[in-house]
Amino acid sequence: MCTYDVIKQCADYLLDRTKHRPKIGIICGSGLGGLADQLTETDIFPYQDIPNFPVSTVTKFHAGRMVIGKLSGLEHTSTNRMSTSVSEIPVMCMQGRFHAYEGYPLWKCAMPVRVMKLMGVEKLLITYAAGGLNSKYNAGDIMIIKDHINLQGFAGNPPLQGINDERFGPRFPAMDNAYDRNLRLMAKTVASEMKLDNIIHEGTYIMLGGPSFETVAELKMLHIFGVDAVGMSTVQEVIVARHCNMKVCAFSLITNKCITEYETDDMVNVADVIGIANNRKADMQELVRRIAIAMNE
Ligand SMILES: Cc1cc2[nH]c(=O)nc(N)n2n1
């Protein structure tokens, strides 16, 4: 667990090198980093240049850099009318994130969230890829997370393990409404405006350690648990974000239907995961862009 001062050193390094003061942070998942390329007046920081920051090892799919800049676009009012004003808001985007399967402890995977907090970020939008366990989900669908199961925590490996620093948050943070009710409602409204109703879902997500995909027996168990989507990221970032009182909204891009039968030749593979991400990412990025603009008060 790194100390408050180490995190503050990261935040100060970035604050000293950008004029932007974002209130919204965006963590871009596998193949979904394109939104950061839409920012203007950007200050770009490869992770290896940020003191004490971890570096992405899954470089094939993640750029591995922090992009701070302005996100623009027509502000969509809640009454479904397109306003004429073009709003520009400062955001900071992680192009590439850190996973337990890379060998990082969970606190390190979530450390960028604390850096964002010390920079003044108040709301966090997260996108990531996941397998669809709910039989109604199809590859290319989008799931808004309603709740998660912290399997690592169950196994005695929580992201908040170790000494608690009250400057971030309480020793025992509550996790009800971890996925902010109002932001979820906003996300559903925006998805409807984008005519995405038939591919948008809201469900329960579980993060597994990976990097191997799940066995049929594991998926049957998780289905009994009421899990709708499975992945290998995101839960530690959300827990750390809620610990320091950020509001959170997270979206899974469903990259494959989980295989829950023994008698099939189908296999989950990374190429499918990235391929589907490429096909749907424009919608995902537009959804996140509109929500970021809408929630920036
Ligand atoms: C990114 C990603 C995609 C999938 N698909 C799956 O079936 N199981 C997973 N754990 N993941 N994770």
Side-chain angles (χ1 to χ4, degrees):
M1 178 68 80
C2 64
T3 63
Y4 182 93
D5 294 339
V6 166
I7 303 275
K8 190 164 182 337
Q9 194 184 9
C10 286
D12 291 345
Y13 173 89
L14 294 170
L15 288 169
D16 291 347
R17 290 164 177 77
T18 179
K19 67 177 184 339
H20 301 299
R21 291 295 178 264
K23 292 273 179 282
I24 292 175
I26 302 174
I27 300 178
C28 302
S30 311
L32 299 166
L35 181 66
D37 296 331
Q38 291 178 19
L39 301 189
T40 55
E41 300 175 47
T42 53
D43 298 308
I44 298 178
F45 305 91
Y47 292 153
Q48 63 265 24
D49 293 354
I50 308 173
N52 310 309
F53 220 75
V55 289
S56 285
T57 62
V58 195
T59 47
K60 194 174 169 201
F61 308 116
H62 292 290
R65 60 189 196 171
M66 186 73 78
V67 182
I68 306 177
K70 286 199 168 174
L71 184 65
S72 63
L74 286 173
E75 192 149 336
H76 290 255
T77 56
S78 57
T79 54
N80 213 358
R81 276 181 301 104
M82 189 93 86
S83 65
T84 50
S85 69
V86 177
S87 52
E88 279 203 328
I89 61 166
V91 299
M92 60 192 292
C93 282
M94 283 180 68
Q95 266 191 333
R97 52 126 70 81
F98 309 108
H99 308 83
Y101 60 72
E102 296 178 71
Y104 291 117
L106 294 182
W107 64 263
K108 200 159 200 176
C109 298
M111 173 196 164
V113 172
R114 288 186 159 176
V115 172
M116 290 182 181
K117 175 68 180 181
L118 295 194
M119 292 177 71
V121 168
E122 296 166 354
K123 292 174 185 161
L124 186 62
L125 283 171
I126 304 176
T127 66
Y128 64 100
L133 183 51
N134 183 317
S135 57
K136 297 189 187 72
Y137 292 12
N138 295 304
D141 287 2
I142 295 172
M143 185 189 87
I144 302 166
I145 300 191
K146 182 171 189 173
D147 205 354
H148 73 228
I149 294 176
N150 173 22
L151 200 64
Q152 273 70 20
F154 278 28
N157 179 24
L160 294 173
Q161 192 164 53
I163 295 167
N164 183 61
D165 190 316
E166 293 288 334
R167 289 172 288 185
F168 285 120
R171 172 77 279 186
F172 302 104
M175 281 296 137
D176 56 289
N177 197 34
Y179 298 87
D180 187 82
R181 199 170 297 109
N182 295 331
L183 293 183
R184 283 190 283 117
L185 191 58
M186 185 189 291
K188 285 181 274 189
T189 304
V190 169
S192 289
E193 284 169 5
M194 292 177 63
K195 308 272 184 285
L196 294 177
D197 297 288
N198 58 339
I199 61 105
I200 202 93
H201 308 279
E202 193 174 27
T204 298
Y205 169 68
I206 196 166
M207 180 188 119
L208 302 149
S212 55
F213 289 121
E214 301 71 37
T215 65
V216 170
E218 287 162 346
L219 289 168
K220 285 176 180 290
M221 180 191 90
L222 296 174
H223 181 64
I224 293 166
F225 283 1
V227 168
D228 296 301
V230 297
M232 305 177 189
S233 68
T234 302
V235 165
Q236 61 266 6
E237 289 106 324
V238 172
I239 290 171
V240 167
R242 293 301 296 144
H243 179 246
C244 60
N245 204 29
M246 281 186 186
K247 289 189 187 304
V248 173
C249 194
F251 306 89
S252 310
L253 176 62
I254 302 301
T255 53
N256 64 283
K257 286 180 82 67
C258 292
I259 295 157
T260 55
E261 296 305 326
Y262 288 105
E263 288 70 40
T264 172
D265 298 332
D266 293 344
M267 294 276 283
V268 186
N269 66 67
V270 174
D272 288 353
V273 170
I274 294 302
I276 294 286
N278 287 334
N279 296 339
R280 178 66 72 188
K281 68 182 175 184
D283 287 329
M284 181 72 122
Q285 282 158 13
E286 178 59 10
L287 179 67
V288 171
R289 189 189 63 75
R290 291 191 190 194
I291 291 166
I293 295 226
M295 73 190 203
N296 189 72
E297 288 143 0

